[in-house]
Amino acid sequence: MSPALLDGVRVLDMTNVLSGPFAGYQLALMGADVIKLEVPGTGDLARQLGADPQLSSENLGVSFLAQNAGKRSVTLNLKKKRGGEVFARLVAEADVLLENFRPGVLERLGFGWDRLREINPRLVYCALSGFGADGPMRERPAYDQVIQGLSGTMSITGTPDTAPLRVGYPFCDSIGGIAAAFAVASALLRQHRTGEGARLDVSMLDATLTSMGWIISDYLIAGREPMPMGNENRTSAPSGTFDTADGKLNIAANKQEQFEALCAVLDQRELITDPRFVTREARKTNRDTLRKELEKTLRTKSAEDWDAVLVPAGVPAAPVLTVPQALSSPQVKHRRLTHRVPAPALNGRELTLLGSAAHVDGESLAPSGPPPRLGEHTDEVLQTLGYTPDDIARLREEGAV
């Protein structure tokens, strides 16, 4: 059985930079035919972003390559009348339209929801924005760091001395993209069952807040305002990051039996009956003192040495790794999370790209092809819509594609 769960689904991806392209990439990994619609000449801004200046100068920036593999690129100028006509044909043949403009942009171009639904009643239209389609902040530009600050994420990241602190990667963009991809997949199920389309309004701010369920429930239900705790786990102790002889070790002894097993491995059994640590609540109250006691022993061996004895004893633990170390770990390699993809546009060079977090029928999902050059598939896609080579040439002369 093919692992391409969305085989036969056509997605028009009008998104730019990160959150939207990330959503489109998740759909492409699941087998959808994702047609990336880009502005002629410039395309997705991410084509100019990333750590390799040479690639950025060629409109193949690392940031673009990371989440656009397997998509087909078509250039299209909706500000031109003929460009709008091409877009209408594309919409008529599509299952999904995904965009991350500011609210109202597509409507001002003549393709609001009513018009889209008139062209294709089955269309799943997903608008992903920073704040959603309505509300007092709907018109504001959204960047990941802005959303991190407005969601409260930064206020609980770091220690009391370092907070507010940004999470070390574009977390809000990513969680917004995942929320959009999930909403699209859900709407496709209804489309398949009933033939009915859907208008999906996904907010990065909403997505970030909903991902903070436990933290927010502390406030909404228990009345406790979340505070930054560094690497500590607010629900338990000892549960956090500890110093060893050569680096950091995460330990999550959240259960009583795990705490007792930890003390036994460290040969500090006296801590089990110490009144300061005898119960979960006592350990939370005295977490700093408990840490100091445990680190007296933990500092005598390396993080890997402790990992080798704690896990077999039933204590959840693992060294804190760098990104290169994580990617080269036996577990990540076994799961085949990264994939080598030939990239003809890069003079035959191969790219190593991340695949899907999900395995389907035992298979790791890899990109179906390389990231596209700007407009690489314009002729190919337009010909499927009935345009002749002469038609396409005229569209180019007019600046429509």
Side-chain angles (χ1 to χ4, degrees), residues 2-315:
S2 170
L5 300 181
L6 296 179
D7 185 33
V9 171
R10 174 168 286 188
V11 178
L12 300 182
D13 180 353
M14 304 183 74
T15 63
N16 195 46
V17 185
L18 180 49
S19 61
F22 185 77
Y25 186 48
Q26 304 312 303
L27 298 172
L29 288 169
M30 289 293 173
D33 173 21
V34 179
I35 299 175
K36 187 171 182 68
L37 302 182
E38 303 186 71
V39 176
T42 55
D44 187 338
L45 176 61
R47 288 183 176 275
Q48 303 164 45
L49 304 177
D52 188 321
Q54 179 60 38
L55 288 174
S56 295
S57 71
E58 297 175 13
N59 266 345
L60 288 168
V62 172
S63 299
F64 176 84
L65 298 177
Q67 56 195 7
N68 287 284
K71 300 180 184 179
R72 296 193 286 169
S73 174
V74 171
T75 53
L76 187 62
N77 187 351
L78 285 184
K79 294 180 179 179
K80 300 289 186 178
K81 179 182 178 182
R82 294 289 302 280
E85 293 172 0
V86 173
F87 182 63
R89 288 202 201 183
L90 285 164
V91 169
E93 298 295 324
D95 298 290
V96 178
L97 173 60
L98 178 66
E99 54 101 337
N100 66 341
F101 302 126
R102 288 194 204 180
V105 168
L106 203 54
E107 186 169 9
R108 289 194 290 273
L109 290 169
F111 291 96
W113 171 235
D114 289 342
R115 173 66 176 137
L116 292 171
R117 185 168 48 181
E118 178 185 319
I119 296 169
N120 183 351
R122 299 180 67 257
L123 185 70
V124 172
Y125 168 48
C126 180
L128 171 57
S129 61
F131 305 100
D134 51 20
M137 300 180 77
R138 67 186 293 270
E139 295 288 349
R140 291 178 59 158
Y143 291 85
D144 180 85
Q145 186 151 346
V146 171
I147 303 296
Q148 286 200 29
L150 286 170
S151 66
T153 299
M154 290 176 66
S155 75
I156 57 170
T157 303
T159 67
D161 293 331
T162 62
L165 196 65
R166 173 185 174 273
V167 176
Y169 75 102
F171 163 74
C172 300
D173 274 312
S174 300
I175 199 69
I178 290 172
F182 174 72
V184 166
S186 300
L188 283 170
L189 178 61
R190 186 176 77 176
Q191 182 199 73
H192 176 72
R193 287 176 171 172
T194 69
E196 185 178 356
R199 177 175 176 263
L200 307 174
D201 170 19
V202 181
S203 155
M204 286 169 55
L205 179 59
D206 293 351
T208 302
L209 285 163
T210 56
S211 77
M212 298 164 65
W214 275 24
I215 294 295
I216 288 180
S217 293
D218 277 351
Y219 174 68
L220 292 179
I221 299 173
R224 182 178 68 179
E225 183 176 350
M227 304 296 291
M229 294 185 65
N231 293 322
E232 291 290 325
N233 178 354
R234 69 187 65 246
T235 67
S236 187
S239 188
T241 306
F242 296 81
D243 287 333
T244 68
D246 69 345
K248 301 290 187 179
L249 178 74
N250 279 327
I251 297 175
N254 296 343
K255 300 179 181 179
Q256 182 68 27
E257 58 266 31
Q258 292 169 343
F259 171 61
E260 294 178 7
L262 172 64
C263 294
V265 171
L266 301 185
D267 198 21
Q268 290 180 285
R269 291 175 176 83
E270 71 280 1
L271 299 179
I272 298 173
T273 55
D274 188 312
R276 297 172 298 175
F277 315 129
V278 72
T279 66
R280 171 191 288 266
E281 292 303 317
R283 291 193 291 276
K284 287 165 59 178
T285 300
N286 298 290
R287 65 171 70 242
D288 291 337
T289 303
L290 179 56
R291 165 182 297 281
K292 291 175 183 177
E293 292 295 329
L294 295 172
E295 287 183 340
K296 289 178 183 177
T297 302
L298 289 170
R299 285 196 176 99
T300 64
K301 295 182 181 179
S302 71
E304 284 195 6
D305 288 341
W306 286 121
D307 181 57
V309 293
L310 287 172
V311 174
V315 181

